[in-house]
């Protein structure tokens, strides 16, 4: 409809849509990021390479051996690269479209590795409720919801509660990270499916994801897989 087109054009003038990586103007079908920026990201060669890198990370930092069943990640995350700027925009600047793009890409990777049929639901790593108030959204939930539309699964942010308002993990040693998130997550009391896909934005030591997995397992989850946009290098 003509009126709709005009309205979109007016919105575009009022809120020009720019790439979160390089600030160039986006064409209408591009969602939050331009193809040139995506091409600069350090992408894993395939799902297996990503899965191995994540499992290694858990072996390194989680002596309790709380490994995900299977794991996927799109990129390696380096300090001060363009991906870092883009993920910052996704987490703190409200660029929801970025979470949608990454969620779609993750879902394609997961569906391509044939594991998508087994999940009973998708669980985003929860934020503390005060942080949701502060940021107005949970970026992991946006990624999870986008992936869920492709994988045709329910998103269940209601299974685990983040009861501790933890310090940011950035800048902490692996041991400090582990004790920072220890007991931060508790099951909500709702019935938990046996097979779960957990979604996080960036994985560093895996301490946060392992703490959420522990809470889900204590409530009856048996196989928990993990999908994350990026693995910190
Ligand atoms: Zn760009």
């Amino acid at each position: 409809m003509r009126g709709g087109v005009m309205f979109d054009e007016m919105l575009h003038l009022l809120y020009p849509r720019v790439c979160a990586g390089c600030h160039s103007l986006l064409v209408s079908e591009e969602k939050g990021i331009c193809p040139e920026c995506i091409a600069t990201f350090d992408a894993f060669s395939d799902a297996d390479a990503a899965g191995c890198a994540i499992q290694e990370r858990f072996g390194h930092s989680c002596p309790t051996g709380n490994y995900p069943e299977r794991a996927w990640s799109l990129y390696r995350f380096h300090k001060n690269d363009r991906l870092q700027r883009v993920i910052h925009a996704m987490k703190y600047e409200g660029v929801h479209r970025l979470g949608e793009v990454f969620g779609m890409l993750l879902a394609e990777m997961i569906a391509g590795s044939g594991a998508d049929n087994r999940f009973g639901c998708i669980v985003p790593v929860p934020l503390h409720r005060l942080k949701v108030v502060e940021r107005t959204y949970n970026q992991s939930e946006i990624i999870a919801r986008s992936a869920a539309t492709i994988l045709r699964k329910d998103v269940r942010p209601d299974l685990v509660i983040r009861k501790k308002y933890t310090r940011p993990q950035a800048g902490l040693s692996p041991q400090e990270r582990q004790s920072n998130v220890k007991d931060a997550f508790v099951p909500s009391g709702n019935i938990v499916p046996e097979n779960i896909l957990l979604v996080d934005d960036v994985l560093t030591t895996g301490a946060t994801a392992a703490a959420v997995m522990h809470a889900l397992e204590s409530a009856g989850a048996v196989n928990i897989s993990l999908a994350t946009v990026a693995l910190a290098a």
Side-chain angles (χ1 to χ4, degrees):
M1 252 178 66
R2 180 81 193 126
V5 171
M6 271 182 71
F7 184 68
D8 283 352
E9 283 169 0
M10 274 168 59
L11 267 185
H12 193 80
L13 284 174
L14 287 169
Y15 306 101
R17 298 204 303 108
V18 297
C19 171
C22 66
H23 300 120
S24 65
L25 279 174
L26 294 170
V27 298
S28 55
E29 65 270 22
E30 290 166 356
K31 285 181 146 194
I33 183 136
C34 75
E36 287 78 15
C37 279
I38 290 181
T40 69
F41 298 163
D42 186 4
F44 283 103
S45 54
D46 56 37
D48 286 343
C52 287
I54 292 180
Q55 299 291 9
E56 257 172 46
R57 188 63 56 93
F58 273 87
H60 180 68
S61 59
C62 298
T64 49
N66 204 358
Y67 295 96
E69 167 99 349
R70 291 194 66 177
W72 297 269
S73 180
L74 296 171
Y75 311 110
R76 284 185 195 278
F77 179 89
H78 303 277
K79 245 190 162 32
N80 301 321
D81 72 355
R82 210 172 282 191
L83 179 62
Q84 185 180 34
R85 197 185 315 158
V86 167
I87 285 182
H88 190 276
M90 175 178 78
K91 283 176 87 149
Y92 305 106
E93 296 161 25
V95 190
H96 293 204
R97 284 196 182 91
L98 293 170
E100 291 166 16
V101 173
F102 291 136
M104 278 165 50
L105 293 171
L106 273 172
E108 283 164 13
M109 190 184 233
I110 292 164
S113 48
D116 50 323
N117 282 333
R118 61 179 309 166
F119 306 125
C121 71
I122 303 182
V123 175
V125 167
L127 283 183
H128 191 274
R129 61 184 172 79
L130 292 179
K131 260 185 205 165
V132 179
V133 170
E134 185 186 306
R135 289 193 204 159
T136 74
Y137 63 99
N138 174 0
Q139 72 284 353
S140 295
E141 187 171 334
I142 292 173
I143 299 163
R145 291 203 179 280
S146 168
T149 56
I150 292 181
L151 299 175
R152 296 167 187 264
K153 302 290 171 190
D154 291 334
V155 178
R156 298 290 306 274
D158 60 308
L159 300 181
V160 178
I161 296 165
R162 191 167 196 148
K163 63 166 188 182
K164 238 167 66 176
Y165 190 91
T166 50
R167 300 194 269 164
Q169 294 280 75
L172 300 183
S173 74
Q175 287 74 20
E176 287 170 330
R177 282 170 181 259
Q178 226 167 347
S179 60
N180 191 33
V181 293
K182 192 176 179 290
D183 304 323
F185 302 95
V186 289
S188 66
N190 291 338
I191 292 171
V192 168
E194 279 193 5
N195 294 301
I196 289 177
L197 176 64
L198 180 65
V199 170
D200 199 359
D201 53 358
V202 177
L203 194 93
T204 305
T205 62
T208 302
V212 179
M213 285 163 57
H214 182 73
L216 287 167
E217 280 163 357
S218 71
V222 180
N223 300 306
I224 305 171
S225 294
L226 174 68
T228 180
V229 174
L231 179 65

